[in-house]
Amino acid sequence: MAGSDTTATALAPPDTVKILIAGGFGVGKTTMVGSVSEIAPLRTEEPLTVAGLGIDDLNGIEEKRATTVALDFGRITISRELVLYLFGTPGQQRFWFMWNDLAVGALGAVVLVDVRRPESSFAAIDFFERRGIPFVVGVNGFHGEHPYPAEEIRDALALPAHVRVLLCDARERESCRDVLIALIDQLIAAAKTA
């Protein structure tokens, strides 16, 4: 009989945790999902076109050539029992209607911030605060630069003390991993106190 319990455990599907990677247009969401995912990420990127002229603000991100129009998807297997599913949200305002659907079942989120354009992350912060979805803030250092310390960024974004602010580089797997670990630690701590 004991052997059948082991077999049942081995055949049981893993628990899955849904995490959103959110933020404004061009902050590095697609890059983060791609950097940390163990599988080739699903991407719904399309080239920027003249239709976006006058709508998409490319100040500070003039080199951007494509944009996410639906979502990015990646996966990280933590153990045989636990898998993280990462869903990158579209950043352009005209695609924000998708955020409500993507947020269904999400346990937490990473809000990426570009310090060159911090206002591009206000809507994402507001989205998660209004829905009571726990989140951490990852400050993506473009070109490897972090001109401001985390506490100064916290003050500029008017974040409450319980929201972790971490400096990161969306291009680097270990850096993205550390941001996700901070979020998981926050979710575990909240579950223990609940």
Side-chain angles (χ1 to χ4, degrees):
M1 257 342 209
S4 64
D5 288 340
T6 305
T7 304
T9 302
L11 297 176
D15 289 328
T16 57
V17 175
K18 182 179 184 180
I19 304 292
L20 297 185
I21 311 299
F25 177 52
V27 297
K29 300 174 298 293
T30 298
T31 302
M32 181 177 186
V33 171
S35 294
V36 77
S37 178
E38 69 191 20
I39 61 171
L42 166 70
R43 293 186 171 139
T44 60
E45 283 200 312
E46 291 295 329
L48 293 174
T49 65
V50 294
L53 291 176
I55 297 171
D56 300 328
D57 182 5
L58 293 173
N59 286 329
I61 53 170
E62 291 82 5
E63 70 282 355
K64 188 164 180 60
R65 299 288 175 253
T67 188
T68 300
V69 296
L71 62 98
D72 297 308
F73 175 78
R75 183 185 74 207
I76 303 171
T77 301
I78 304 297
S79 68
R80 191 178 329 164
E81 294 83 26
L82 181 62
V83 175
L84 299 183
Y85 289 149
L86 306 175
F87 289 82
T89 64
Q92 293 162 286
Q93 187 172 0
R94 65 182 177 271
F95 299 125
W96 286 354
F97 68 91
M98 298 201 52
W99 287 31
N100 286 319
D101 289 337
L102 289 171
V104 173
L107 290 187
V110 172
V111 175
L112 281 181
V113 172
D114 177 353
V115 293
R116 302 170 303 175
R117 302 172 300 117
E119 69 283 352
S120 70
S121 297
F122 292 158
I125 291 167
D126 184 56
F127 180 87
F128 295 112
E129 285 180 339
R130 286 178 183 242
R131 285 157 184 80
I133 298 174
F135 67 96
V136 297
V137 170
V139 182
N140 189 13
F142 283 81
H143 311 293
E145 299 174 6
H146 287 289
Y148 306 102
E151 283 309 310
E152 196 171 321
I153 294 166
R154 171 190 304 289
D155 293 342
L157 297 175
L159 293 168
H162 72 274
V163 175
R164 300 255 333 253
V165 177
L166 302 106
L167 304 179
C168 68
D169 187 332
R171 301 169 300 174
E172 296 180 4
R173 181 179 179 85
E174 293 78 17
S175 182
C176 297
R177 178 204 60 205
D178 292 346
V179 172
L180 289 169
I181 288 170
L183 175 61
I184 297 298
D185 287 345
Q186 181 176 311
L187 294 173
I188 290 169
K192 286 181 179 178
T193 60

